[in-house]
Structures are given as structure tokens and as C-alpha cells.
Amino acid sequence: MLNKSIKFLIENKLVAVLLLVLFVGWGVVNSPFDWNTGILPSDPVAVDAIPDIGENQQIVYTKWDGRSPQDIEDQITYPLTTSLLGIPGVRTIRSSSMFGFSAIYIIFEEDIEFYWSRSRILEKLNSLPSGLLPTDVNPSLGPDATGLGQIFWYTLEGRDEKGNVTGGWDLNELRSIQDFYVKYALSGASGVSEVSSVGGFVQEYQIDVDPELMRQYNINLEQVVKATRQSNEDIGAQTLEINKAEYLVRGLGYIKSIEDIENAVVTSEGFTSIRVKDIAKVNLGPKTRRGILDKEGAEVVGGVVVARYGANPLEVINNVKNQINEISAGLPSKELSDGRTSQVTIVPFYDRTELIQETIGTLNEALTMEILITVLVIIIMVFNLRASILISGLLPVAVLMVFISMKLFGVPANIVALSGIAIAIGTMVDVGVILSENIIRHLEEDEGKLSINEIVYNATAEVSGAILTAVLTTIISFIPVFTMIGAEGKLFRPLAFTKTMALTASLVVALFLIPPFAAVFFKKRNVKSVAGYIISAIIVVLGIAALLFGYVLGLVLIAFGITGILLLKKKITPKRSNLINIIISVLTIVYLLAEYWRPLGLERSIFWNLIFVSIIAFGLLGTFALFRKYYTRMLRWALRNKIAFLSVPTVIVILGVLIMQNTGKEFMPSLNEGSFLLMPTSMPHAGVEENKRILRQLDMAVANIPEVKTVVGKAGRTESALDPAPLSMYENIIQYKSEYMLNDEREWQRYKVNEDGMFVLKDGKLTINPNSELDEDDESDYSTENLKDPFMVKREDLVPDEDGEYYRNWRPEIESPDDIWNEIVRVTKLPGITSAPKLQPIETRLVMLQTGMRAPMGIKVKGQDLREIEAFGLKLEGIIKEADGVKDEAVFADRIVGKPYLLIDIKRERLARYGISIDDVQRTLKVAIGGMQITETVEGRERYGVRVRYPRELRENPQDIKDIYVPVEKGSPVPLEELVRYTL
């Protein structure tokens, strides 16, 4: 059947052409490389930078504002955890009890479907027994996403029409715009799971009651709460028919201003009303917050977009950007005092698009380089230009067929999956080489008796069985990889899939497409001289046109055209013509490798890169040629001296084992993400203002590093279940500049220089060339002006010039991203915060999802007392730092004790004396210290809370309770200090 299919396609070449067109067109449509498909539709494979190897996890999130971690643990986390253990498919449960909320992480078995597990959790939550949780507590299921879904972070900033920062907006204004406009608009983008806010202030109406005036008027807190609630209500009163027209009746009663609350009547006696403003001050103020966002030292408001589980991250980001473009015109603006117009603008500071495109671009470049090198090897070794073109054409077609299979089977494109294609290229080429060489051999042995179709068929049928067996053996050897589970399976199964599909595609192309095209390529033609001259002239003209448009490769077309003309004039023999064409092709490939590979770096000229590539390429090819020439002699010697020869591989195996035992082992090497995540922590007892000060210092210190493009720091958490961070934990996302200046397409760009090699700016000024080594003894290179200029120049200031030089963004002493990180570590050594290991955003999310910690390796300490556990951890921290190969900044012990508690113990015997209930005292405490939100008012589409609380001076020093009184039903209010005792 196999040979019949091959024969059919050889005899019906149009079918083979149609198959080729189908594979190429379909593959281009599904390509992840963001190609311009022209008239073809675009339906790319899902693209991300790296595979999501996190656990199959769901989050149950429960808020209980103002409650301590101990209360959360006892009344929410523990009872919920024990109830959720019975869900089918649960492997383990991790939980976290923090101030104001509980987060329970339910880890399911890998074979449990993601949305099925969510359904089971919802069923369990809906069937919880009454009384299990406090009455005002409602657990909720977290977003249908993983921590790796945080793909887009942004800030809201006031900017003018030129994009310059103007300011002019209060943090509460920006937070309202974020919460009630931007958040909802971006949530509507396809593939978005949630958009959460961070930073700024949430506005609320705050009623600061005066306890002295309340005592004088004999008014208690319950009356104030009741009066405020009853003054904030809209009603619907059905309809009225007036003059045969129906009118909808609305009773308007929502609070719209401070005056509405101030005029609310608390009590009335003797036709005299006591209003809220008589006993309290009402104002608009900030709600208590647990998250701060800072950009380079200035507090800002922002948000994070989370992609839905299973969505295409690149497509989701594009949808979000399209949504941003749609809503940007509707964002508010205001005129500033200096006459400028400040428009609220969405400014991204973390966009995974760049990383995805760079990752895919790197793999695209790697595949291109591999194909070029493979073509070079084939041309030199096979020494037949037609066969080389035929074999080389196999690779792109097979790669496109892999994209088709990835789309059909839902395998996303990432650095690991696409690496499988790169690994398989060597085997893919072998198939084509074996087939083509056998066809050439049959052509040489034929004496004109058989047609070209018969020769190609006989040559293909002779090796088809062997090729099929060899490829299937390789494919079968990868079956164990498909059986991997857990993180290993998620990481390596895509690689095994793409490698298997690449080999399968190469088998299809080699056995079914190469033979019919080989029958066309190797067919002897008697081209008439006139037609030959016309074709050669067209090639020369195309080459000249390419040169005029600036394409140096036009010289290659001119050379091919001239060679064709010389062959037609019989100035050279066909054999010599083939040799010349091969030399032209080889030189072209070597030039392309030198131009796009740049192994010596961009600071070296193309000449030296070309010399280096030539030495490497021709040196290796020469070695292979010598090996092939003297192979039979070496084989004879090895057969005569078996023991001596076998000692060589034996020594190699022993050395390999010894070296392997002494090398580091890493499950997943770090991907260079182009950004860092600085995650130090402060002391647990640090307050909001202290954390804000430290965060500002960190951002300002990092922003002053010339190689850093932008830095945005977060203290605390966003309004999301995916971010259960305490206020004392910082996350500074640091974007650093690329080593060389890039254009809008993120390609290396050359810029204009003068005769002295200095870069010319658009304003006519010059800046020294940072690509050259600065002379430390030359004061002109290190003057105050010149020291700053080379590394602070923007791309918009430079003049693009194809004959210019590449502009290096980094200082001469900075040679790698590790050097930038060392600079960050140096400037962020601040008192009061811990050190931080080298982390990157995606890498950190994956580690935290897998381990629940900020590091891939950790030591758990168990004991009877938290203080003893912490003390032991601190001692262990010092010991581990002394271990060989351990970086000091990578070791830190969690501070689990240190958040101070003010325990207020109620004297129950005193309550009985005054006839006061526990609830009366607790309500007074709640309002006096933390304030109590009693209602919400709606203004348009915005909602504002209404909170009753005691004056600030009492809340800042809760031990000074002489002015706090608890109401008594009959009699004078009782001072709180008589009813409670304090413990710090």
C-alpha cells in the first residue's frame, strides 16, 4: 500500500502539488509566529512563553473584614478545610489565614478536569451545614485562572497629548475611574477571567462621632447607625396613571452628598431635632486599604488583567489592548492650572506580549539558523544543488505541518514545545538525505532504459521500508515521555508531541512529496538557448533591482544569472556550472549566518563575524570531509585493534559519569524574561505608612540604575484571590532595557554616527559611542555630561541609518542581566527589610504555585510554639548561608511572629452590674477603633460605603479610652475603661 501510494503521487504530480499547497497554506494559517497571512485567515496556535506546570488548583476565598488571623483560622479556615476534604479527586489542601481573609488552596489530581472541579467545590459550598461559619461570612470560589494568568499590569496616569506625565489627578479619583469604568471595560475582553485593582484610595462617607456630645444628648451608637441607614433608601411605588399615561413612581432617598448625612435626624424631643451634624463630623475619606502601588517613587493606581484558564495568552492581551483603544477616548480629562490638558491614560508596565514575541522570535530565529546550517551541510556533503534544494524544502513544510497538528490537538506553542521541532530537525534531514542520495545513485546507474518516473519510484521503494522503520523506532522510543504526570508531564509532553509530529511530518513529506518533485527536478531538459537567455536575463534584472532597493543579496541573483548565461554560451561545462552555483550558495549561507547570528556580538563588525562563522563552518565541514575520506582506514584499524579502540569509549563513559555527578541539576532552567521581580519583606509589625516609605525607597533606588527602563512596586495585595500577599511583602516588577536599541518591530536597529564614531542626535548634538570601550584615563569620556548621556538617550532622539552602528543601552561594565541584578541588590540593601533571591515574574508565579513559597526549595520547621519555631528558623538561616554555593541573599527565614496584638478582655462581672451585654461592648469597640460600615449609597454607577467611627485621636491610641462610653438602657453611659482590660 505504501509503495502504491508513492507511485500514484509520482504519476499524478498535480495531486502532490495540491497537497503541498494545502500543507503550506494551512500551516501558515496556524503559525504562531504572527506572520502576515495576506488573503489567508489567521488562526494561530495558542502562544505563551513557557508551559504552565503549576498544580491543578482551585481557590476558596473568604473575606471577613477587620478580623485577626487567629479568628480567621479558628472560625473560617479550619471548618472550611475539613468540609472540603471530602470532594472527590482532592489530593491535598493548603490554607492561609491572614488579616481580614482566608485563602484555601485545593489541589486536585492531574486527571481531574479544571471546570469539573469548580462545579464540585460550588456544590460543597452550597451544601455546608448552617452555623458552620459566622452569619455575615460568605466563601467564594476564586477566578477560573492560575497565578500564571497575570499577563497584563497597568497604571492610570494623567498625560498630555504628547504622552508626557502631567499629574493633576488625586489617587481617589483614579481609583474610582479604575473601579467603575476601566475594570468593567477590560473584563469584557474575550478570554479575561478577572481584572483586579490595586493602589490609591477607595472613597467612603465617614461619620466621626463625638463621644462627649453623644453623652450630653444621651444618644448611643445604635441610634446614629439607625438614623444613617434610614436616611439612605430608594423605593419603587409601582405606577400611577395620569391622563391615560402610565408613570413609574420612584421614591428618591439615596445619600448624594455630605449634607444629606449631616441633616439626617438622630432623635427628636420637644419639637427639637438632633441631627448627625450636631454630634459628629461627616466627610469623604479613604477606606482602609491593604495594598499600595508605587511607580518610581510616586504612589499610583493600577490593575492586573488575568487570563482565563486554557485561553490563548497572546490573543487575550491583544483583545485587552483593543479594548483599551476603544475606551481611551472616553477616559476623563481636565484642564490644569498651567493650561495643559491632562487625560487619564492606561499605561502598561508589565506586558507579556514582549516576552512571548521574543521567545517565539528566538525560536523562529533558531529554526531559521538550523535550516541554514542544515542546507550548508547538505550542499557540501551531497554536492548536488538540486538535491540540496529538494532536501531543504522538506524542513519548512514539515514544520508547518507540526503547527497544524498542534492546533488540532490543542498543544500551545511555547519555548519547550517548539524546542521539540528544533531537536527533530537532524532526524528530519536524515530522511531526505537517504532518499535523495538513493535517487541520485539510481540516476547515475541508469543507462537511459527507464523513464524518470520509474527511476524515482524504484529508488524510493527500495528505501521506503527502511525509512519507515527508522522513523517509527524513534517515535516509539518517546512513548514513555507521554506517560509522565505532574509538573514533569506538563513540561515534557508538549516537547515529545512536537518532536513526534515533526518526525511524522518529515516521513509524510519524504515518502509522498519528495518523490514526485524529484521526478521534476532531476528530469533532463533540453532548454532552448533563447528561453535560457531570457530566464538568465530576468534573474540578473531582478538582482539589479534588489541592489537598487538596498538588498545586498541581489548580488546572488546576478551571480546565478551570469552563471546561466556562461553555461548557455558553453564557456563553462555543466559540471563546473554546478560547482559555481554551489560555491555561490555556500557563500550566501555563510553571509546570512554571520549577519543574523552575530556570534561575536553586535559591537563587532560584519567582517569579523563573517571570518568567525567561516572558520567554524568550513572547519567543521573540513573535519567531516576528512573523516569521510579516511573512514575506511579508521574502520580497518578499529577492527584489527578492538581492545585498544574500545578503551576510548570506555574512558569517555567513565569521565561522563564522573562529570555528571559533579554538575548542578535543574528541573527547569530559568528563562530570560527581560524583567526581574524583587520580593523582599519588611517586619510583620510594619504599618501602612512605613511600608509605603520603604516601597518608595526601593523603587527610587532601582529607577536610578541606567539600565532599568521602569520599576513599579506593590506592597500588600490586589483585590483578588490570586494575590494573598501581606502588607509587609513587596513585589517590585523591574523592566530593564534590551542590550541594544530596538525598533518598533523589536529588531536590532542601526543609527547614524559621525566620522569619529559618535552618535548623531536629531537635535544636532552628539553623544559618545557606548559600544566602544571607554578609556578610564580619558577624562573627556567620563565628564559629568558624557557619563550620563550615552545611557539616558531615548530611541526617539537617534537617527536611524542602515549604514550606522547599533546603539548599546548598557554601560560597558554591564555584560549580562546578572550584572543588572547585582546592581539592584546593591542599591536595595535597606535597613528593616530582608534580602531577596533573584526572581522573575513568571518563574516566581510557577514556583509559588508549586511549592506555596517564594523559592523552589525550602525547609519546613515544626514545633509546639511559634516563637521557638521562628527562633530556630533564624538560627538555621545563618547556618545555611555558610554552605558552599549558596548565595546570602537567597536565604531568608520567614518572620512568623512579630505582628503585635492588642487584646481587649471584657470584664463580665462588671457587665452584670450595669446590665450591659457583650454585644454592646463589642459594637462600641468595633466603631471606636475600626469603624463600622453600615450602608452603601449609589451615585450613578458608583457605590460608596458609609462608615461610623470615633475621632482619629481615639483610634490612633486605643488605650486612651477615657472618652469612650458604652450606652446603658437605663442610666448614664459607662466609661469603657471600667469594663475591659488590655493585654499587649
Side-chain angles (χ1 to χ4, degrees), residues 159-316:
R159 297 202 172 190
D160 60 18
E161 61 275 3
K162 295 181 180 179
N164 299 317
V165 178
T166 60
W169 297 87
D170 294 333
L171 291 174
N172 61 290
E173 291 179 300
L174 293 174
R175 182 59 186 260
S176 295
I177 295 169
Q178 159 64 18
D179 285 344
F180 300 109
Y181 184 65
V182 175
K183 177 179 177 180
Y184 296 141
L186 299 187
S187 297
S190 178
V192 172
S193 176
E194 81 166 354
V195 179
S196 53
S197 306
V198 61
F201 298 100
V202 176
Q203 278 197 136
E204 65 178 4
Y205 291 101
Q206 295 174 344
I207 305 172
D208 291 341
V209 297
D210 188 326
E212 179 60 32
L213 290 174
M214 289 176 63
R215 189 171 69 255
Q216 292 177 10
Y217 288 117
N218 196 26
I219 294 173
N220 57 49
L221 283 174
E222 187 60 36
Q223 290 175 285
V224 179
V225 170
K226 182 179 179 182
T228 307
R229 281 179 177 160
Q230 291 179 345
S231 64
N232 180 49
E233 186 179 5
D234 269 13
I235 60 98
Q238 299 298 330
T239 63
L240 282 177
E241 188 169 333
I242 304 174
N243 292 332
K244 299 183 179 181
E246 186 178 54
Y247 289 80
L248 303 178
V249 180
R250 285 184 63 201
L252 303 180
Y254 273 135
I255 293 170
K256 300 295 183 183
S257 64
I258 292 175
E259 290 75 18
D260 292 343
I261 299 178
E262 289 179 332
N263 293 321
V265 177
V266 179
T267 186
S268 177
E269 187 174 343
F271 302 100
T272 301
S273 297
I274 305 298
R275 293 170 292 183
V276 170
K277 68 179 181 181
D278 296 326
I279 58 169
K281 292 180 180 179
V282 184
N283 53 65
L284 272 172
K287 188 177 180 180
T288 303
R289 57 178 179 164
R290 305 304 295 176
I292 304 169
L293 196 66
D294 180 277
K295 184 175 183 179
E296 299 175 2
E299 196 172 346
V300 293
V301 174
V304 54
V305 179
V306 180
R308 183 168 287 113
Y309 175 83
N312 182 349
L314 187 59
E315 183 181 350
V316 175

Side-chain angles (χ1 to χ4, degrees), residues 788-799:
K788 231 179 177 184
D789 283 348
F791 315 109
M792 302 300 288
V793 171
K794 297 180 180 179
R795 177 164 56 91
E796 294 76 14
D797 299 329
L798 296 166
V799 181

Side-chain angles (χ1 to χ4, degrees), residues 750-890:
R750 293 179 183 270
Y751 297 96
K752 187 176 181 179
V753 294
N754 66 357
E755 299 79 13
D756 299 325
M758 299 177 73
F759 283 95
V760 180
L761 304 183
K762 288 182 179 178
D763 58 5
K765 296 181 180 179
L766 301 175
T767 179
I768 62 174
N769 192 336
N771 300 332
S772 59
E773 295 183 5
L774 302 182
D775 186 359
E776 295 183 6
D777 299 326
D778 189 350
E779 293 183 0
S780 64
D781 280 353
Y782 280 86
S783 65
T784 304
E785 182 181 0
N786 283 342
L787 180 64
K788 231 179 177 184
D789 283 348
F791 315 109
M792 302 300 288
V793 171
K794 297 180 180 179
R795 177 164 56 91
E796 294 76 14
D797 299 329
L798 296 166
V799 181
D801 183 6
E802 292 302 321
D803 297 324
E805 297 292 336
Y806 295 104
Y807 190 92
R808 193 171 188 268
N809 287 315
W810 297 354
R811 290 168 289 173
E813 63 269 23
I814 303 296
E815 298 179 354
S816 69
D818 286 338
D819 295 331
I820 300 176
W821 176 256
N822 292 334
E823 284 286 293
I824 294 170
V825 171
R826 181 181 64 82
V827 301
T828 55
K829 288 182 178 179
L830 303 177
I833 63 171
T834 64
S835 59
K838 180 184 174 184
L839 298 171
Q840 300 178 104
I842 297 180
E843 177 187 16
T844 306
R845 303 297 177 200
L846 285 175
V847 168
M848 294 180 74
L849 282 172
Q850 285 183 290
T851 65
M853 302 180 293
R854 287 174 289 157
M857 183 182 299
I859 299 175
K860 287 187 177 181
V861 180
K862 297 181 180 181
Q864 298 292 330
D865 183 79
L866 286 178
R867 294 187 182 278
E868 292 181 1
I869 292 174
E870 183 182 56
F872 181 82
L874 293 174
K875 291 180 182 178
L876 195 60
E877 176 184 326
I879 295 171
I880 295 175
K881 285 183 177 180
E882 298 175 0
D884 293 337
V886 175
K887 292 184 178 180
D888 289 350
E889 63 270 16

Side-chain angles (χ1 to χ4, degrees), residues 464-681:
S464 61
I467 290 174
L468 183 63
T469 302
V471 174
L472 287 179
T473 301
T474 307
I475 292 174
I476 292 170
S477 67
F478 262 73
I479 288 179
V481 180
F482 289 97
T483 63
M484 287 184 173
I485 59 174
E488 295 82 359
K490 292 180 179 179
L491 182 64
F492 294 115
R493 276 200 302 266
L495 184 146
F497 177 87
T498 52
K499 186 177 189 299
T500 300
M501 288 298 105
L503 293 176
T504 305
S506 66
L507 192 65
V508 171
V509 173
L511 294 181
F512 300 115
L513 293 184
I514 284 184
F517 286 99
V520 176
F521 268 62
F522 294 121
K523 184 177 181 180
K524 293 182 179 180
R525 295 175 179 81
N526 295 319
V527 181
K528 295 182 179 180
S529 58
V530 176
Y533 279 118
I534 293 174
I535 294 172
S536 299
I538 291 173
I539 294 174
V540 172
V541 170
L542 290 175
I544 295 172
L547 282 176
L548 293 176
F549 281 99
Y551 295 100
V552 181
L553 292 179
L555 291 171
V556 178
L557 293 177
I558 295 173
F560 279 130
I562 293 173
T563 304
I565 293 172
L566 293 175
L567 178 63
L568 291 170
K569 287 188 173 183
K570 298 183 179 179
K571 298 290 185 181
I572 55 176
T573 62
K575 189 174 182 179
R576 181 162 293 182
S577 171
N578 182 60
L579 177 61
I580 293 172
N581 286 332
I582 286 175
I583 292 173
I584 294 170
S585 302
V586 169
L587 293 177
T588 302
I589 292 171
V590 171
Y591 172 79
L592 290 173
L593 286 172
E595 175 66 25
Y596 295 105
W597 181 18
R598 291 274 181 165
L600 297 180
L602 294 179
E603 64 273 12
R604 304 291 182 185
S605 66
I606 183 63
F607 174 77
W608 291 111
N609 279 282
L610 187 61
I611 294 296
F612 181 81
V613 171
S614 300
I615 292 173
I616 294 295
F618 293 119
L620 289 174
L621 289 172
T623 303
F624 293 154
L626 288 173
F627 180 81
R628 185 170 64 174
K629 182 177 180 180
Y630 294 104
Y631 172 70
T632 53
R633 296 185 185 181
M634 291 187 290
L635 180 61
R636 290 194 188 98
W637 180 87
L639 293 174
R640 288 195 301 266
N641 303 274
K642 298 180 182 65
I643 296 177
F645 173 75
L646 289 175
S647 64
V648 176
T650 303
V651 171
I652 292 174
V653 170
I654 293 172
L655 289 175
V657 172
L658 293 175
I659 292 171
M660 183 182 67
Q661 291 176 347
N662 294 316
T663 55
K665 300 176 179 66
E666 183 65 52
F667 171 66
M668 184 174 180
S670 296
L671 170 70
N672 183 4
E673 300 181 23
S675 58
F676 293 120
L677 184 62
L678 182 68
M679 291 187 69
T681 58

Side-chain angles (χ1 to χ4, degrees), residues 29 36-42:
V29 168
N36 183 9
T37 57
I39 61 173
L40 294 174
S42 180

